[in-house]
Amino acid sequence: QVQLVESGGGSVQPGGSLRLSCVVSGLSADYYAIGWFRQAPGKEREGVSCITSTDGDAYYEDSVKGRFTISRDNAKNTVYLQMNSLKPEDTAVYYCATELYVAIATHCRFDEYSYWGQGTQVSVST
């Protein structure tokens, strides 16, 4: 049974940084995709950044390019999202998710992912 647990959210001022972590357990597949998604109040859930199990494919939403970096630590079964230069519009609940047997991460659509964590709140304000 696949389980994902996010952590690292919090409140930060504009321009600040946070690193989100997602610990994945019960994942057994030849290949898969893992992604970070976010949903702000009154907004649609959107893909922030997604990667494949081999790091051969990665996606970043346009508004976070150059500011956010996704990475994986296979030994710890953990996926990270380093968020720099945070803006108020980054405020949202951030979720990690995975889908088995997905070879590409360029779509990074929430409705293509089956397993989800509970989310962690990120608030960016003065």
Side-chain angles (χ1 to χ4, degrees):
Q1 297 180 357
V2 179
Q3 294 182 328
L4 304 94
V5 180
E6 305 97 333
S7 63
S11 181
V12 66
Q13 293 183 337
S17 298
L18 288 171
R19 188 180 73 162
L20 306 183
S21 299
C22 175
V23 179
V24 184
S25 62
L27 182 61
S28 179
D30 292 335
Y31 56 95
Y32 54 90
I34 297 179
W36 286 97
F37 301 80
R38 66 186 180 186
Q39 188 164 23
K43 302 289 186 179
E44 297 280 347
R45 188 173 299 185
E46 65 177 353
V48 178
S49 183
C50 295
I51 61 171
T52 63
S53 56
T54 61
D55 293 328
D57 187 27
Y59 163 90
Y60 292 94
E61 198 274 329
D62 286 342
S63 68
V64 309
K65 289 180 179 178
R67 300 189 297 121
F68 292 9
T69 303
I70 191 168
S71 62
R72 299 170 62 249
D73 186 333
N74 292 332
K76 297 181 179 180
N77 296 318
T78 302
V79 180
Y80 303 95
L81 185 67
Q82 179 66 46
M83 305 186 295
N84 299 325
S85 301
L86 283 163
K87 304 175 180 180
E89 51 263 44
D90 295 318
T91 296
V93 177
Y94 284 70
Y95 302 88
C96 63
T98 189
E99 179 63 45
L100 307 184
Y101 303 108
V102 173
I104 61 173
T106 54
H107 293 167
C108 206
R109 291 165 51 94
F110 75 89
D111 56 358
E112 296 179 347
Y113 286 71
S114 298
Y115 302 94
W116 293 82
Q118 292 297 309
T120 185
Q121 177 71 50
V122 172
S123 298
V124 185
S125 66
T126 58

